[in-house]
Amino acid sequence: MTVGDPDPSLRFSQPHMALPALLGAAETDPLRAVLDAVYAAVATYGEDYRTLLEEIRTACRRHPEDA
């Protein structure tokens, strides 16, 4: 899985970052799974990642009983 801040000098394929998001979601530790999946999803989403994070926040507020 990716670790740390992305290196701005390295270019990556957004569609290919979707695979680490799926693999991250399959981790056995639930906290690690969500953190890895969200990290990769942010990279996949690209420059407008704040929109994705806001959608995640909204979804978490709607389902507090699942936390």
Side-chain angles (χ1 to χ4, degrees):
M1 190 67 230
T2 51
V3 176
D5 293 333
D7 183 347
S9 67
L10 298 176
R11 297 179 81 58
F12 61 89
S13 166
Q14 286 180 323
H16 289 95
M17 284 302 293
L19 180 59
L22 293 173
L23 295 175
E27 292 278 343
T28 55
D29 175 20
L31 179 59
R32 179 66 171 197
V34 73
L35 292 175
D36 284 350
V38 169
Y39 183 91
V42 164
T44 303
Y45 214 80
E47 293 178 6
D48 198 24
Y49 69 91
R50 287 179 182 91
T51 302
L52 173 66
L53 293 177
E54 186 55 40
E55 289 178 21
I56 292 170
R57 281 186 208 101
T58 301
C60 289
R61 276 188 233 121
R62 270 188 253 150
H63 302 286
E65 69 280 354
D66 295 338

